[in-house]
Short mmCIF file of all heavy atoms in Angstrom, two decimals:
data_model
loop_
_atom_site.label_atom_id
_atom_site.label_comp_id
_atom_site.label_asym_id
_atom_site.label_seq_id
_atom_site.Cartn_x
_atom_site.Cartn_y
_atom_site.Cartn_z
N MET A 1255 -14.65 2.81 -16.38
CA MET A 1255 -13.38 3.23 -15.82
C MET A 1255 -13.58 3.87 -14.45
O MET A 1255 -12.86 3.57 -13.51
CB MET A 1255 -12.72 4.21 -16.81
CG MET A 1255 -11.47 4.82 -16.31
SD MET A 1255 -10.13 3.65 -16.48
CE MET A 1255 -8.77 4.65 -16.08
N ARG A 1256 -14.56 4.75 -14.36
CA ARG A 1256 -14.81 5.44 -13.09
C ARG A 1256 -15.22 4.46 -11.99
O ARG A 1256 -14.83 4.58 -10.84
CB ARG A 1256 -15.88 6.49 -13.30
CG ARG A 1256 -16.14 7.34 -12.09
CD ARG A 1256 -17.18 8.40 -12.37
NE ARG A 1256 -17.48 9.11 -11.19
CZ ARG A 1256 -17.35 10.41 -11.04
NH1 ARG A 1256 -16.94 11.13 -12.05
NH2 ARG A 1256 -17.67 11.00 -9.91
N THR A 1257 -16.04 3.46 -12.35
CA THR A 1257 -16.47 2.49 -11.35
C THR A 1257 -15.31 1.64 -10.87
O THR A 1257 -15.25 1.24 -9.70
CB THR A 1257 -17.59 1.58 -11.89
OG1 THR A 1257 -17.14 0.94 -13.07
CG2 THR A 1257 -18.85 2.38 -12.18
N GLN A 1258 -14.35 1.36 -11.78
CA GLN A 1258 -13.16 0.60 -11.37
C GLN A 1258 -12.32 1.38 -10.38
O GLN A 1258 -11.81 0.83 -9.40
CB GLN A 1258 -12.32 0.23 -12.58
CG GLN A 1258 -12.93 -0.81 -13.46
CD GLN A 1258 -12.09 -1.09 -14.69
OE1 GLN A 1258 -11.29 -0.27 -15.09
NE2 GLN A 1258 -12.28 -2.26 -15.28
N ILE A 1259 -12.19 2.68 -10.61
CA ILE A 1259 -11.41 3.52 -9.69
C ILE A 1259 -12.10 3.57 -8.33
O ILE A 1259 -11.44 3.43 -7.29
CB ILE A 1259 -11.21 4.93 -10.28
CG1 ILE A 1259 -10.30 4.85 -11.50
CG2 ILE A 1259 -10.62 5.88 -9.24
CD1 ILE A 1259 -10.18 6.13 -12.28
N LEU A 1260 -13.41 3.75 -8.35
CA LEU A 1260 -14.15 3.78 -7.07
C LEU A 1260 -14.04 2.44 -6.34
O LEU A 1260 -13.92 2.41 -5.12
CB LEU A 1260 -15.61 4.14 -7.32
CG LEU A 1260 -15.89 5.59 -7.69
CD1 LEU A 1260 -17.36 5.78 -8.04
CD2 LEU A 1260 -15.47 6.52 -6.57
N LYS A 1261 -14.07 1.37 -7.11
CA LYS A 1261 -13.95 0.04 -6.49
C LYS A 1261 -12.58 -0.12 -5.83
O LYS A 1261 -12.48 -0.65 -4.74
CB LYS A 1261 -14.16 -1.04 -7.55
CG LYS A 1261 -14.20 -2.43 -7.01
CD LYS A 1261 -14.51 -3.42 -8.12
CE LYS A 1261 -14.56 -4.81 -7.58
NZ LYS A 1261 -14.83 -5.81 -8.61
N LYS A 1262 -11.54 0.37 -6.49
CA LYS A 1262 -10.19 0.27 -5.92
C LYS A 1262 -10.05 1.15 -4.69
O LYS A 1262 -9.39 0.79 -3.72
CB LYS A 1262 -9.14 0.66 -6.96
CG LYS A 1262 -9.16 -0.23 -8.17
CD LYS A 1262 -7.89 -0.97 -8.31
CE LYS A 1262 -7.89 -1.72 -9.62
NZ LYS A 1262 -7.79 -3.11 -9.43
N LEU A 1263 -10.66 2.35 -4.72
CA LEU A 1263 -10.55 3.26 -3.58
C LEU A 1263 -11.31 2.76 -2.36
O LEU A 1263 -11.00 3.17 -1.24
CB LEU A 1263 -11.05 4.65 -3.96
CG LEU A 1263 -10.12 5.44 -4.89
CD1 LEU A 1263 -10.74 6.75 -5.28
CD2 LEU A 1263 -8.76 5.69 -4.22
N THR A 1264 -12.29 1.89 -2.55
CA THR A 1264 -13.03 1.35 -1.42
C THR A 1264 -12.47 -0.02 -1.00
O THR A 1264 -13.04 -0.65 -0.11
CB THR A 1264 -14.52 1.22 -1.76
OG1 THR A 1264 -14.68 0.39 -2.91
CG2 THR A 1264 -15.15 2.57 -2.01
N SER A 1265 -11.38 -0.43 -1.59
CA SER A 1265 -10.77 -1.72 -1.26
C SER A 1265 -10.15 -1.68 0.14
O SER A 1265 -9.38 -0.78 0.47
CB SER A 1265 -9.71 -2.05 -2.29
OG SER A 1265 -8.91 -3.12 -1.87
N ARG A 1266 -10.47 -2.67 0.94
CA ARG A 1266 -9.87 -2.77 2.28
C ARG A 1266 -8.39 -3.04 2.17
O ARG A 1266 -7.61 -2.56 2.98
CB ARG A 1266 -10.56 -3.88 3.07
CG ARG A 1266 -11.94 -3.51 3.51
CD ARG A 1266 -12.57 -4.63 4.23
NE ARG A 1266 -12.86 -5.69 3.25
CZ ARG A 1266 -13.51 -6.80 3.50
NH1 ARG A 1266 -13.95 -7.03 4.70
NH2 ARG A 1266 -13.74 -7.67 2.56
N LYS A 1267 -7.98 -3.80 1.16
CA LYS A 1267 -6.55 -4.09 0.98
C LYS A 1267 -5.76 -2.81 0.75
O LYS A 1267 -4.67 -2.64 1.28
CB LYS A 1267 -6.34 -5.04 -0.20
CG LYS A 1267 -6.83 -6.44 0.04
CD LYS A 1267 -6.50 -7.35 -1.11
CE LYS A 1267 -7.42 -7.02 -2.27
NZ LYS A 1267 -7.28 -7.92 -3.42
N LEU A 1268 -6.31 -1.91 -0.06
CA LEU A 1268 -5.63 -0.63 -0.33
C LEU A 1268 -5.45 0.14 0.97
O LEU A 1268 -4.34 0.62 1.26
CB LEU A 1268 -6.43 0.20 -1.32
CG LEU A 1268 -5.91 1.65 -1.47
CD1 LEU A 1268 -4.55 1.66 -2.12
CD2 LEU A 1268 -6.90 2.46 -2.26
N TRP A 1269 -6.49 0.27 1.76
CA TRP A 1269 -6.42 1.08 2.96
C TRP A 1269 -5.51 0.46 4.02
O TRP A 1269 -4.83 1.16 4.75
CB TRP A 1269 -7.79 1.39 3.50
CG TRP A 1269 -8.47 2.32 2.54
CD1 TRP A 1269 -9.52 2.03 1.74
CD2 TRP A 1269 -8.08 3.66 2.25
NE1 TRP A 1269 -9.84 3.13 0.96
CE2 TRP A 1269 -8.96 4.14 1.25
CE3 TRP A 1269 -7.11 4.52 2.72
CZ2 TRP A 1269 -8.85 5.43 0.73
CZ3 TRP A 1269 -7.01 5.79 2.22
CH2 TRP A 1269 -7.89 6.23 1.23
N ILE A 1270 -5.44 -0.86 4.08
CA ILE A 1270 -4.51 -1.52 5.00
C ILE A 1270 -3.07 -1.24 4.55
O ILE A 1270 -2.19 -0.94 5.38
CB ILE A 1270 -4.77 -3.04 5.07
CG1 ILE A 1270 -6.12 -3.31 5.71
CG2 ILE A 1270 -3.65 -3.78 5.77
CD1 ILE A 1270 -6.23 -2.84 7.14
N ALA A 1271 -2.81 -1.28 3.24
CA ALA A 1271 -1.48 -1.00 2.74
C ALA A 1271 -1.11 0.46 3.00
O ALA A 1271 0.02 0.76 3.40
CB ALA A 1271 -1.42 -1.29 1.24
N VAL A 1272 -2.04 1.37 2.77
CA VAL A 1272 -1.77 2.80 3.03
C VAL A 1272 -1.51 3.04 4.52
O VAL A 1272 -0.57 3.78 4.87
CB VAL A 1272 -2.94 3.67 2.52
CG1 VAL A 1272 -2.82 5.09 3.01
CG2 VAL A 1272 -3.02 3.63 1.00
N ILE A 1273 -2.30 2.43 5.37
CA ILE A 1273 -2.11 2.60 6.81
C ILE A 1273 -0.77 2.02 7.25
O ILE A 1273 -0.05 2.62 8.05
CB ILE A 1273 -3.27 1.96 7.60
CG1 ILE A 1273 -4.54 2.78 7.40
CG2 ILE A 1273 -2.96 1.83 9.08
CD1 ILE A 1273 -5.81 2.12 7.88
N GLY A 1274 -0.42 0.88 6.68
CA GLY A 1274 0.88 0.28 7.00
C GLY A 1274 2.04 1.19 6.56
O GLY A 1274 3.00 1.38 7.31
N PHE A 1275 1.92 1.77 5.40
CA PHE A 1275 2.96 2.66 4.91
C PHE A 1275 3.02 3.93 5.75
O PHE A 1275 4.09 4.36 6.15
CB PHE A 1275 2.69 3.00 3.43
CG PHE A 1275 3.74 3.92 2.84
CD1 PHE A 1275 4.99 3.44 2.57
CD2 PHE A 1275 3.44 5.22 2.57
CE1 PHE A 1275 5.96 4.28 2.04
CE2 PHE A 1275 4.40 6.06 2.01
CZ PHE A 1275 5.66 5.59 1.75
N ALA A 1276 1.87 4.53 6.02
CA ALA A 1276 1.83 5.76 6.82
C ALA A 1276 2.35 5.50 8.23
O ALA A 1276 3.08 6.34 8.80
CB ALA A 1276 0.41 6.32 6.85
N GLY A 1277 1.97 4.37 8.81
CA GLY A 1277 2.47 4.02 10.13
C GLY A 1277 3.98 3.86 10.14
O GLY A 1277 4.66 4.30 11.08
N ALA A 1278 4.51 3.23 9.10
CA ALA A 1278 5.96 3.05 9.03
C ALA A 1278 6.67 4.39 8.91
O ALA A 1278 7.69 4.61 9.60
CB ALA A 1278 6.30 2.18 7.81
N ILE A 1279 6.15 5.28 8.12
CA ILE A 1279 6.76 6.59 7.99
C ILE A 1279 6.68 7.38 9.29
O ILE A 1279 7.63 8.03 9.71
CB ILE A 1279 6.11 7.37 6.82
CG1 ILE A 1279 6.38 6.66 5.49
CG2 ILE A 1279 6.60 8.81 6.77
CD1 ILE A 1279 7.83 6.48 5.14
N ALA A 1280 5.54 7.29 9.95
CA ALA A 1280 5.36 8.00 11.22
C ALA A 1280 6.35 7.50 12.29
O ALA A 1280 6.94 8.31 13.00
CB ALA A 1280 3.93 7.83 11.74
N VAL A 1281 6.53 6.20 12.34
CA VAL A 1281 7.48 5.64 13.31
C VAL A 1281 8.91 6.04 12.93
O VAL A 1281 9.71 6.41 13.79
CB VAL A 1281 7.35 4.10 13.37
CG1 VAL A 1281 8.52 3.48 14.12
CG2 VAL A 1281 6.04 3.71 14.04
N ALA A 1282 9.20 5.99 11.65
CA ALA A 1282 10.55 6.28 11.21
C ALA A 1282 10.98 7.70 11.48
O ALA A 1282 12.13 7.96 11.83
CB ALA A 1282 10.69 5.98 9.72
N PHE A 1283 10.06 8.63 11.35
CA PHE A 1283 10.41 10.02 11.53
C PHE A 1283 10.04 10.57 12.89
O PHE A 1283 10.08 11.77 13.12
CB PHE A 1283 9.81 10.86 10.41
CG PHE A 1283 10.46 10.57 9.08
CD1 PHE A 1283 9.77 9.86 8.12
CD2 PHE A 1283 11.75 10.97 8.82
CE1 PHE A 1283 10.36 9.57 6.91
CE2 PHE A 1283 12.35 10.69 7.61
CZ PHE A 1283 11.65 9.98 6.65
N GLY A 1284 9.73 9.67 13.81
CA GLY A 1284 9.40 10.08 15.17
C GLY A 1284 10.63 10.40 16.03
O GLY A 1284 10.52 10.96 17.09
N ALA A 1285 11.80 10.05 15.54
CA ALA A 1285 13.03 10.28 16.30
C ALA A 1285 13.97 11.15 15.46
O ALA A 1285 13.89 11.16 14.24
CB ALA A 1285 13.71 8.94 16.61
N PRO A 1286 14.88 11.88 16.13
CA PRO A 1286 15.75 12.79 15.39
C PRO A 1286 16.79 12.09 14.50
O PRO A 1286 17.21 12.65 13.52
CB PRO A 1286 16.46 13.58 16.50
CG PRO A 1286 16.28 12.80 17.74
CD PRO A 1286 15.04 11.96 17.56
N GLU A 1287 17.17 10.87 14.84
CA GLU A 1287 18.15 10.15 14.07
C GLU A 1287 17.56 8.89 13.47
O GLU A 1287 16.76 8.23 14.13
CB GLU A 1287 19.32 9.75 14.99
CG GLU A 1287 20.67 10.11 14.44
CD GLU A 1287 21.75 9.76 15.42
OE1 GLU A 1287 22.18 8.59 15.40
OE2 GLU A 1287 22.12 10.63 16.23
N LEU A 1288 17.91 8.54 12.26
CA LEU A 1288 17.39 7.34 11.61
C LEU A 1288 18.23 6.14 12.06
O LEU A 1288 19.38 5.99 11.68
CB LEU A 1288 17.44 7.52 10.09
CG LEU A 1288 16.59 6.58 9.26
CD1 LEU A 1288 15.12 6.75 9.63
CD2 LEU A 1288 16.76 6.85 7.79
N SER A 1289 17.61 5.26 12.84
CA SER A 1289 18.32 4.10 13.35
C SER A 1289 18.07 2.89 12.45
O SER A 1289 17.29 2.96 11.50
CB SER A 1289 17.84 3.78 14.76
OG SER A 1289 16.50 3.34 14.73
N GLY A 1290 18.68 1.81 12.78
CA GLY A 1290 18.50 0.58 12.03
C GLY A 1290 17.05 0.08 12.11
O GLY A 1290 16.50 -0.42 11.13
N GLU A 1291 16.44 0.23 13.29
CA GLU A 1291 15.04 -0.21 13.44
C GLU A 1291 14.12 0.65 12.58
O GLU A 1291 13.18 0.15 11.98
CB GLU A 1291 14.62 -0.08 14.92
CG GLU A 1291 15.29 -1.09 15.81
CD GLU A 1291 14.99 -0.84 17.28
OE1 GLU A 1291 14.31 0.16 17.60
OE2 GLU A 1291 15.40 -1.66 18.11
N GLN A 1292 14.40 1.95 12.53
CA GLN A 1292 13.54 2.83 11.73
C GLN A 1292 13.68 2.49 10.22
O GLN A 1292 12.72 2.52 9.49
CB GLN A 1292 13.90 4.29 11.98
CG GLN A 1292 13.45 4.75 13.35
CD GLN A 1292 14.04 6.08 13.71
OE1 GLN A 1292 15.21 6.33 13.45
NE2 GLN A 1292 13.22 6.92 14.29
N THR A 1293 14.89 2.17 9.81
CA THR A 1293 15.10 1.78 8.43
C THR A 1293 14.32 0.51 8.10
O THR A 1293 13.71 0.40 7.04
CB THR A 1293 16.61 1.56 8.16
OG1 THR A 1293 17.32 2.75 8.53
CG2 THR A 1293 16.87 1.25 6.71
N THR A 1294 14.31 -0.42 9.04
CA THR A 1294 13.55 -1.66 8.86
C THR A 1294 12.06 -1.39 8.75
O THR A 1294 11.36 -1.96 7.92
CB THR A 1294 13.82 -2.63 10.01
OG1 THR A 1294 15.23 -2.87 10.09
CG2 THR A 1294 13.09 -3.93 9.84
N VAL A 1295 11.58 -0.48 9.58
CA VAL A 1295 10.14 -0.13 9.56
C VAL A 1295 9.78 0.54 8.22
O VAL A 1295 8.73 0.25 7.64
CB VAL A 1295 9.78 0.77 10.74
CG1 VAL A 1295 8.39 1.34 10.61
CG2 VAL A 1295 9.91 0.00 12.04
N ILE A 1296 10.63 1.40 7.71
CA ILE A 1296 10.37 2.04 6.41
C ILE A 1296 10.33 0.98 5.32
O ILE A 1296 9.46 1.00 4.47
CB ILE A 1296 11.45 3.10 6.10
CG1 ILE A 1296 11.30 4.31 7.03
CG2 ILE A 1296 11.34 3.56 4.63
CD1 ILE A 1296 12.40 5.33 6.92
N ALA A 1297 11.28 0.06 5.36
CA ALA A 1297 11.31 -1.01 4.37
C ALA A 1297 10.05 -1.86 4.44
O ALA A 1297 9.50 -2.25 3.41
CB ALA A 1297 12.55 -1.88 4.56
N ALA A 1298 9.57 -2.13 5.64
CA ALA A 1298 8.33 -2.91 5.80
C ALA A 1298 7.12 -2.15 5.25
O ALA A 1298 6.24 -2.74 4.62
CB ALA A 1298 8.10 -3.25 7.27
N GLY A 1299 7.10 -0.86 5.46
CA GLY A 1299 6.01 -0.04 4.91
C GLY A 1299 6.01 -0.05 3.40
O GLY A 1299 4.97 -0.19 2.76
N ILE A 1300 7.17 0.10 2.82
CA ILE A 1300 7.30 0.05 1.36
C ILE A 1300 6.92 -1.33 0.83
O ILE A 1300 6.26 -1.45 -0.19
CB ILE A 1300 8.72 0.47 0.92
CG1 ILE A 1300 8.93 1.96 1.25
CG2 ILE A 1300 8.97 0.19 -0.55
CD1 ILE A 1300 10.35 2.42 1.09
N ALA A 1301 7.32 -2.35 1.56
CA ALA A 1301 6.98 -3.72 1.15
C ALA A 1301 5.46 -3.94 1.18
O ALA A 1301 4.92 -4.64 0.32
CB ALA A 1301 7.66 -4.73 2.05
N SER A 1302 4.77 -3.35 2.15
CA SER A 1302 3.31 -3.52 2.19
C SER A 1302 2.64 -2.86 1.00
O SER A 1302 1.73 -3.41 0.41
CB SER A 1302 2.72 -2.99 3.52
OG SER A 1302 2.69 -1.60 3.54
N LEU A 1303 3.12 -1.68 0.62
CA LEU A 1303 2.57 -1.03 -0.57
C LEU A 1303 2.90 -1.81 -1.83
O LEU A 1303 2.07 -2.00 -2.72
CB LEU A 1303 3.10 0.40 -0.70
CG LEU A 1303 2.35 1.46 0.03
CD1 LEU A 1303 3.00 2.81 -0.19
CD2 LEU A 1303 0.90 1.52 -0.36
N ALA A 1304 4.14 -2.29 -1.93
CA ALA A 1304 4.55 -3.07 -3.10
C ALA A 1304 3.73 -4.35 -3.21
O ALA A 1304 3.31 -4.76 -4.30
CB ALA A 1304 6.04 -3.39 -3.03
N SER A 1305 3.47 -4.99 -2.07
CA SER A 1305 2.67 -6.21 -2.07
C SER A 1305 1.25 -5.94 -2.57
O SER A 1305 0.70 -6.74 -3.34
CB SER A 1305 2.58 -6.80 -0.67
OG SER A 1305 3.85 -7.12 -0.20
N TYR A 1306 0.70 -4.82 -2.17
CA TYR A 1306 -0.63 -4.44 -2.65
C TYR A 1306 -0.63 -4.24 -4.15
O TYR A 1306 -1.51 -4.76 -4.87
CB TYR A 1306 -1.13 -3.17 -1.96
CG TYR A 1306 -2.38 -2.65 -2.60
CD1 TYR A 1306 -3.60 -3.26 -2.35
CD2 TYR A 1306 -2.35 -1.59 -3.48
CE1 TYR A 1306 -4.75 -2.82 -2.94
CE2 TYR A 1306 -3.50 -1.14 -4.09
CZ TYR A 1306 -4.70 -1.75 -3.83
OH TYR A 1306 -5.82 -1.31 -4.45
N ILE A 1307 0.35 -3.52 -4.66
CA ILE A 1307 0.42 -3.24 -6.09
C ILE A 1307 0.57 -4.52 -6.89
O ILE A 1307 -0.13 -4.73 -7.89
CB ILE A 1307 1.56 -2.25 -6.38
CG1 ILE A 1307 1.23 -0.89 -5.80
CG2 ILE A 1307 1.83 -2.15 -7.87
CD1 ILE A 1307 2.39 0.08 -5.78
N VAL A 1308 1.44 -5.41 -6.45
CA VAL A 1308 1.64 -6.68 -7.15
C VAL A 1308 0.38 -7.54 -7.06
O VAL A 1308 -0.06 -8.13 -8.07
CB VAL A 1308 2.86 -7.43 -6.58
CG1 VAL A 1308 2.93 -8.84 -7.10
CG2 VAL A 1308 4.14 -6.69 -6.91
N GLY A 1309 -0.22 -7.58 -5.90
CA GLY A 1309 -1.46 -8.38 -5.73
C GLY A 1309 -2.59 -7.89 -6.61
O GLY A 1309 -3.31 -8.69 -7.23
N GLU A 1310 -2.76 -6.58 -6.69
CA GLU A 1310 -3.80 -6.04 -7.56
C GLU A 1310 -3.48 -6.31 -9.03
O GLU A 1310 -4.37 -6.58 -9.82
CB GLU A 1310 -3.95 -4.52 -7.33
CG GLU A 1310 -4.72 -4.20 -6.10
CD GLU A 1310 -6.15 -4.72 -6.11
OE1 GLU A 1310 -6.87 -4.48 -7.11
OE2 GLU A 1310 -6.55 -5.35 -5.14
N GLY A 1311 -2.22 -6.25 -9.38
CA GLY A 1311 -1.84 -6.55 -10.76
C GLY A 1311 -2.14 -7.99 -11.13
O GLY A 1311 -2.67 -8.29 -12.20
N ILE A 1312 -1.87 -8.91 -10.22
CA ILE A 1312 -2.18 -10.32 -10.44
C ILE A 1312 -3.68 -10.54 -10.54
O ILE A 1312 -4.17 -11.27 -11.40
CB ILE A 1312 -1.55 -11.20 -9.34
CG1 ILE A 1312 -0.03 -11.19 -9.48
CG2 ILE A 1312 -2.09 -12.62 -9.40
CD1 ILE A 1312 0.70 -11.82 -8.31
N ALA A 1313 -4.44 -9.88 -9.66
CA ALA A 1313 -5.89 -10.00 -9.68
C ALA A 1313 -6.47 -9.44 -10.99
O ALA A 1313 -7.38 -10.03 -11.57
CB ALA A 1313 -6.52 -9.30 -8.48
N ASP A 1314 -5.94 -8.30 -11.42
CA ASP A 1314 -6.44 -7.73 -12.68
C ASP A 1314 -6.12 -8.62 -13.87
O ASP A 1314 -6.92 -8.76 -14.77
CB ASP A 1314 -5.83 -6.33 -12.88
CG ASP A 1314 -6.36 -5.30 -11.93
OD1 ASP A 1314 -7.43 -5.55 -11.31
OD2 ASP A 1314 -5.74 -4.23 -11.79
N LEU A 1315 -4.94 -9.20 -13.84
CA LEU A 1315 -4.54 -10.12 -14.92
C LEU A 1315 -5.47 -11.33 -14.97
O LEU A 1315 -5.92 -11.77 -16.03
CB LEU A 1315 -3.10 -10.56 -14.75
CG LEU A 1315 -2.51 -11.45 -15.84
CD1 LEU A 1315 -2.49 -10.70 -17.17
CD2 LEU A 1315 -1.11 -11.87 -15.45
N ALA A 1316 -5.80 -11.87 -13.79
CA ALA A 1316 -6.69 -13.04 -13.72
C ALA A 1316 -8.10 -12.67 -14.20
O ALA A 1316 -8.77 -13.51 -14.81
CB ALA A 1316 -6.73 -13.58 -12.31
N ASN A 1317 -8.56 -11.46 -13.92
CA ASN A 1317 -9.88 -11.02 -14.34
C ASN A 1317 -9.99 -10.84 -15.85
O ASN A 1317 -11.04 -10.99 -16.43
CB ASN A 1317 -10.28 -9.74 -13.63
CG ASN A 1317 -10.61 -9.97 -12.17
OD1 ASN A 1317 -10.96 -11.07 -11.79
ND2 ASN A 1317 -10.46 -8.93 -11.40
N LYS A 1318 -8.85 -10.51 -16.51
CA LYS A 1318 -8.86 -10.31 -17.96
C LYS A 1318 -8.97 -11.64 -18.71
O LYS A 1318 -9.47 -11.69 -19.82
CB LYS A 1318 -7.63 -9.56 -18.39
CG LYS A 1318 -7.68 -8.10 -18.08
CD LYS A 1318 -6.51 -7.37 -18.67
CE LYS A 1318 -6.62 -5.89 -18.35
NZ LYS A 1318 -5.52 -5.13 -18.93
N LYS A 1319 -8.50 -12.70 -18.08
CA LYS A 1319 -8.55 -14.02 -18.74
C LYS A 1319 -9.87 -14.57 -18.57
O LYS A 1319 -10.74 -14.86 -19.05
CB LYS A 1319 -7.52 -14.95 -18.12
CG LYS A 1319 -6.12 -14.57 -18.43
CD LYS A 1319 -5.17 -15.59 -17.83
CE LYS A 1319 -3.74 -15.19 -18.16
NZ LYS A 1319 -2.78 -16.12 -17.65
#
């Protein structure tokens, strides 16, 4: 179990998703008012994290078979 967690924490996909999400949040809250562009950036950041979670779930499912 511990090795699986370490393997996930060293995953490049995870860190790209985290950076994408953090970047989206940073851009979104860089201005005093939330504009349409900022909302789009937040949605893109959430989508990158969601894509990572779904991708890892599919990979884990394939590894169990």
Side-chain angles (χ1 to χ4, degrees):
M1255 175 78 172
R1256 184 178 175 122
T1257 57
Q1258 288 177 337
I1259 292 172
L1260 287 174
K1261 186 176 180 181
K1262 299 244 187 241
L1263 287 176
T1264 57
S1265 168
R1266 288 178 288 186
K1267 291 184 286 186
L1268 170 68
W1269 291 110
I1270 293 298
V1272 169
I1273 290 168
F1275 181 72
I1279 296 302
V1281 167
F1283 291 107
E1287 229 177 86
L1288 197 60
S1289 68
E1291 291 173 356
Q1292 289 169 317
T1293 304
T1294 303
V1295 170
I1296 290 173
I1300 292 170
S1302 75
L1303 273 180
S1305 299
Y1306 171 76
I1307 291 168
V1308 169
E1310 282 298 310
I1312 291 170
D1314 290 344
L1315 183 63
N1317 288 336
K1318 285 187 179 182
K1319 290 182 180 182

